[in-house]
Amino acid sequence: MPTHPLRRLIQGQGGSTLIELLVAMPIAVMLLGLIVQALGNAGQGQQDIERRTEALTQGQIGLERMTREVRQADWVFFRSSSLVDLQARVRATAGASSVRRLVRYDCTGEVCSRSEGPATVYPPPAVPTFTATSTVVGAPKADVGGRSGQITGHDIFFPSHVDSATGVRTVDFLAPDYLLVNLRLAVRGRKEPVVLEDGVNLRNRTTFAG
């Protein structure tokens, strides 16, 4: 009985055997797993970059505000390496005239906060009056949606004085002429913190010792 041309065409085509399928399937699964893993790593890497960039940006803004107000201050009173009071001119709004206000930067916790109150004399009282407080750098650990990681370490302010005769710089909390501000911000997913530093020449150091 003659074979139909269509049947001959179908029988003549090659196909995959069961053994070939059994070999190809694990390879395909492995390749798919590698692709999924690569996509996951790329996503995590992007999130890490975004968190680090966020911490750097927010930290730089806070650090610039600190150093600007310290530089322009009438006087500065260092209570510790993480707590400093100063009196500087502050504008309530962008178009308003600047007025003297007492400002405190407190970095004793997981954030650096800025408090502001009425102007006072030097040295400031042990318990000053403040009318407003805001966070300028950092976010608490519990704040999962925070703008950046929390402050790590409590040594933030490093005042010092240079001996005019020897040129030696020593730590000096009473009559400094230079201030180094060091911020270390933890970033989720990173073992090492982001470190930001800036230095300030203190123009009114003769008033610091009272």
Side-chain angles (χ1 to χ4, degrees):
M1 182 176 179
T3 304
H4 193 277
L6 180 60
R7 178 173 296 180
R8 288 202 304 271
L9 179 63
I10 296 175
Q11 290 177 346
Q13 291 179 346
S16 299
T17 65
L18 179 60
I19 294 177
E20 290 173 335
L21 289 174
L22 291 176
V23 172
M25 286 178 64
I27 296 176
V29 171
M30 181 179 66
L31 290 175
L32 181 60
L34 291 175
I35 293 172
V36 172
Q37 182 179 4
L39 292 174
N41 291 339
Q44 291 178 356
Q46 182 62 31
Q47 289 180 352
D48 178 70
I49 293 173
E50 290 176 355
R51 288 194 292 263
R52 186 175 184 276
T53 301
E54 188 178 38
L56 280 170
T57 301
Q58 195 240 359
Q60 287 171 344
I61 292 173
L63 180 60
E64 193 279 332
R65 185 174 188 180
M66 283 186 197
T67 54
R68 183 181 70 250
E69 290 191 327
V70 170
R71 184 180 295 110
Q72 298 174 351
D74 296 330
W75 51 258
V76 180
F77 185 78
F78 294 98
R79 296 187 183 273
S80 70
S81 60
S82 57
L83 184 64
V84 58
D85 292 340
L86 57 102
Q87 186 159 283
R89 288 188 172 274
V90 177
R91 296 180 186 274
T93 60
S97 300
S98 61
V99 296
R100 283 185 170 84
R101 299 280 286 175
L102 174 64
V103 175
R104 167 175 287 183
Y105 282 103
D106 184 351
C107 303
T108 56
E110 295 174 348
V111 302
C112 282
S113 62
R114 178 187 181 278
S115 299
E116 185 179 318
T120 185
V121 296
Y122 184 93
V127 184
T129 300
F130 296 110
T131 57
T133 299
S134 61
T135 298
V136 291
V137 180
K141 289 181 181 179
D143 187 4
V144 178
R147 295 169 297 172
S148 68
Q150 70 276 9
I151 297 290
T152 62
H154 301 306
D155 293 324
I156 308 296
F157 305 110
F158 298 87
S160 60
H161 175 70
V162 177
D163 189 307
S164 58
T166 64
V168 176
R169 185 179 296 278
T170 56
V171 176
D172 191 341
F173 280 79
L174 295 179
D177 53 20
Y178 183 81
L179 172 65
L180 175 68
V181 183
N182 179 284
L183 292 176
R184 296 180 297 280
L185 296 173
V187 180
R188 291 188 300 275
R190 280 178 170 262
K191 293 183 180 180
E192 297 298 325
V194 171
V195 180
L196 296 171
E197 282 190 350
D198 196 4
V200 183
N201 289 315
L202 304 173
R203 65 177 188 178
N204 293 333
R205 66 182 182 88
T206 55
T207 65
F208 294 167

